[in-house]
Amino acid sequence: MTIDNSSEQFPTPNPLEGKPLPPIPLLTMFRLGLYQMGLGIMSLLTLGVINRIMIDELKVPALIAAGAIAMHQFVSPARIWFGQMSDAKPLWGYHRSSYVWIGLILFTSAAFLAMQVVWQLGASIQVNGFNGIAYLWAGLLALIFAGYGLALSASSTPFTALLFDVSDEENRSKLISIVWSMLMVGIVIGAIISSKILHR
């Protein structure tokens, strides 16, 4: 009776398995936190400022404005799907970075498109009142915010998985605390910028 020594029965061990990941320098942690800081700024400048402009300046009904903007939250369950996608299907050889960059480009582009639609919606209301054309613009704005939410999900969930991938149990808590603290910093910066812009 012969013994099968093939690699299928005795798989070759991974030389990196069981070895701790190299510690993440403090500067790298803050560099990773820039992404979250940018999200904080974007959340204030897009969602908060657009909401205020639509209701106070353009006289869009609050229910319509809030409903259109809230569409980015209705698609948030897609985060689970994008997380699984980044696990199973790498893009251009990267499991996380490609999704982060593509999502980032898409949600910033969606924010720009949303502003253009907001101006068209406001102009339509001023000329014709809130009629069928205004409802079409509001529907288009809701679709753009849904795309904004999908792009945000495609970027932020793989980014969170990236933080887990590059850290181990010893420095993961420090990394997560710094990165999420910078989200709060971004929200504060966005609030200061938006208040300065709206008071001019």
Side-chain angles (χ1 to χ4, degrees), residues 32-106:
L32 289 169
L34 290 176
Y35 172 84
Q36 290 285 36
M37 188 174 75
L39 287 186
I41 295 173
M42 281 285 295
S43 67
L44 264 295
L45 295 183
T46 55
L47 307 179
V49 173
I50 287 178
N51 181 58
R52 181 171 173 179
I53 288 175
M54 289 175 68
I55 296 174
D56 293 342
E57 305 295 333
L58 303 179
K59 306 306 177 185
V60 178
L63 181 63
I64 301 297
I69 293 174
M71 284 302 296
H72 82 282
Q73 293 290 350
F74 282 106
V75 298
S76 59
R79 292 174 181 268
I80 300 172
W81 183 72
F82 283 115
Q84 293 174 341
M85 283 279 292
S86 67
D87 287 336
K89 296 182 179 180
L91 297 177
W92 301 294
Y94 295 96
H95 278 277
R96 313 297 185 194
S97 302
S98 300
Y99 287 90
V100 173
W101 279 107
I102 291 173
L104 184 117
I105 293 170
L106 290 177

Side-chain angles (χ1 to χ4, degrees), residues 4 12 19 57 73 94 103 107 113 134 139 143 151 155 166 186 198-199:
D4 185 4
T12 304
K19 291 186 177 180
E57 305 295 333
Q73 293 290 350
Y94 295 96
F107 76 69
L113 290 176
L143 286 176
S155 180
V166 301
L198 294 176
H199 281 88

Side-chain angles (χ1 to χ4, degrees), residues 104-128:
L104 184 117
I105 293 170
L106 290 177
F107 76 69
T108 52
S109 300
F112 174 79
L113 290 176
M115 280 304 306
Q116 311 313 307
V117 174
V118 165
W119 299 132
Q120 295 298 327
L121 174 60
S124 176
I125 293 174
Q126 289 178 1
V127 174
N128 303 312

